[in-house]
Amino acid sequence: MNGWLFAAGTVAAATALIHIIAGGRDVVRPLLAGPLPAEPTRTLHVVWHFVSADLLLSAAALIVVSLRAEPHAPLVLFIAAQYFAYTAAFLVGTLTAPWTRPLLRLPQWMLLLPIGTLATIGAGL
């Protein structure tokens, strides 16, 4: 078993659950009840589900490959790259907003960055 990948998969699974439960309550419900027209609202709702599926599938993939004798490095590095891209998107979106203490306003990057890092280490890099 590859402990680094198992840890990455476990943190990714926890992140997916947080996204689905807390994000559904704090983000999706207000979005659906907001003043946006129906088409943009529904599009954002579908994108929310895309992200939910991606988080769950990547968590499952990391856990499955962690149990193999040899992890599939290209797949693991692809997943790690996704989490690094998600981290960058949250950091840019957060740091360009006119907020005080911006890194704590959208703290998702604090979960996403370790997943990419653990997966990269687990891939043997």
Side-chain angles (χ1 to χ4, degrees), residues 16-34:
L17 290 175
I18 292 167
H19 167 82
I20 292 166
I21 296 168
R25 180 188 65 235
D26 296 340
V27 177
V28 174
R29 286 184 193 160
L31 172 70
L32 293 176

Side-chain angles (χ1 to χ4, degrees), residues 27-124:
V27 177
V28 174
R29 286 184 193 160
L31 172 70
L32 293 176
L36 288 174
E39 287 178 6
T41 298
R42 290 295 163 195
T43 300
L44 290 171
H45 192 208
V46 169
V47 171
W48 179 266
H49 291 297
F50 285 175
V51 172
S52 299
D54 182 63
L55 293 173
L56 287 170
L57 292 171
S58 63
L62 288 168
I63 291 170
V64 168
V65 298
S66 78
L67 302 175
R68 299 177 132 213
E70 283 294 319
H72 191 270
L75 173 61
V76 171
L77 292 174
F78 177 80
I79 294 170
Q82 284 184 291
Y83 280 94
F84 288 135
Y86 298 156
T87 300
F90 267 103
L91 287 173
V92 169
T94 300
L95 293 173
T96 57
W99 296 332
T100 58
R101 300 176 66 185
L103 294 175
L104 299 177
R105 291 288 295 267
L106 293 176
Q108 291 89 331
W109 66 272
M110 291 182 208
L111 289 170
L112 301 168
L113 181 60
I115 298 165
T117 303
L118 290 166
T120 300
I121 294 168

